[in-house]
Amino acid sequence: FDAAALRGLFGDDRERLVAIVESFATQARLDLAGMAEAEGEALAGMAHRLKGAARMVGARRLAEAAAELEEAARGGTARPP
């Protein structure tokens, strides 16, 4: 998580930043739960959405993992856990 990147995109308003991170965390939990049941293009789409959201809040490691999962899902090599 990169707090400086988040502030760079959204400013220094603490309440706004907290709301953004909380919204991200809520949606990320939903996406991760959905990924457990998904495969193929559905999985790739969820991973793509998570990748973009993670990048927006500076969660670089999560964005990288989501990008790898998206690529694997599009290539047919990803498997649900």
Side-chain angles (χ1 to χ4, degrees), residues 26-38 46 50 81:
T26 298
Q27 187 60 50
R29 277 192 294 276
L30 294 172
D31 286 342
L32 291 169
M35 286 180 193
E37 303 296 323
M46 289 178 193
L50 181 60

Side-chain angles (χ1 to χ4, degrees), residues 62-74:
L62 179 58
E64 291 168 5
E68 290 175 13
L69 179 58
E70 178 185 8
E71 184 177 322
R74 292 201 194 283

